[in-house]
Amino acid sequence: MSSSVIARALEQAEALLADVPEDAWDAPTPCVEWTVRDLVDHLVNLPAQFSTMAAGESVDWSAPTPRHDDPTAVFHAHANRLLATLGQHPESVPEGMLAGELSVHSWDLASAVGGDTSGFDPEIAETGYDFMSAALTDEQRGRAFGPRQPAPDGANPYERLAAFTGREVPFRVP
């Protein structure tokens, strides 16, 4: 696994987390059942869950998501742990799976707080899209990923991935 894509995805997500406005915590997100706070909590815990998975342990993806007083610092610690675990177990988790999860939720968060992903690293979302478009079937979508939506003309890789995973692009606050 080329950890450079994952390292860049983690750095990008961390920068996004650090810029969440204080007044945005209760705002809606493209993840219909989640507020910005819920999405941040999920994003913060993803590297820890993938680190557990990479170490060969089972992950309870339905377990309640813990809240953290300093989500950016906790994310940073989880990201470092994930990179260390991937260094020890390089083929344990598909790079595209990690890139896809981090890209989709980075798009979700950027969209929810009024930002965009036009300045994000396109290779990360392209890596995620390649994996997800080959691996995610209609039967696997469940509640996490809705039916594929059309991406607008000129959509960037994050927008195309978001639309593929069932998000309406661009996100419109309900």
Side-chain angles (χ1 to χ4, degrees):
M1 172 184 296
S2 165
S3 64
S4 67
V5 168
I6 301 309
R8 292 193 322 266
L10 291 165
E11 289 172 9
Q12 185 171 269
E14 185 175 331
L16 184 59
L17 286 166
D19 285 340
V20 173
E22 283 297 319
D23 63 350
W25 294 115
D26 294 324
T29 71
C31 305
V32 179
E33 298 176 7
W34 288 351
T35 64
V36 166
R37 182 64 198 195
D38 299 325
L39 176 58
V40 164
D41 292 338
H42 178 71
L43 185 56
V44 165
N45 287 294
L46 275 177
Q49 291 170 310
F50 278 113
S51 182
T52 299
M53 183 179 170
E57 301 170 28
S58 68
V59 176
D60 181 358
W61 295 99
S62 66
T65 304
R67 292 252 155 114
H68 305 284
D69 292 334
D70 188 348
T72 306
V74 174
F75 181 87
H76 183 80
H78 288 181
N80 285 339
R81 178 176 153 218
L82 173 59
L83 291 173
T85 305
L86 291 173
Q88 295 170 346
H89 308 281
E91 302 300 319
S92 57
V93 179
E95 179 180 65
M97 179 187 291
L98 288 164
E101 281 287 326
L102 290 166
S103 295
V104 167
H105 292 311
S106 291
W107 180 86
D108 290 337
L109 184 56
S111 297
V113 299
D116 68 45
T117 54
S118 61
F120 284 14
D121 183 332
E123 184 183 7
I124 298 165
E126 290 164 355
T127 300
Y129 185 87
D130 289 348
F131 175 84
M132 291 184 105
S133 63
L136 184 62
T137 66
D138 289 340
E139 296 78 34
Q140 297 168 320
R141 288 179 176 266
R143 293 178 58 204
F145 303 110
R148 183 180 192 158
Q149 300 297 310
D153 290 339
N156 70 42
Y158 290 84
E159 294 165 331
R160 285 193 305 276
L161 179 58
F164 177 78
T165 60
R167 275 81 164 150
E168 184 179 338
V169 178
F171 170 62
R172 290 173 181 77
V173 177

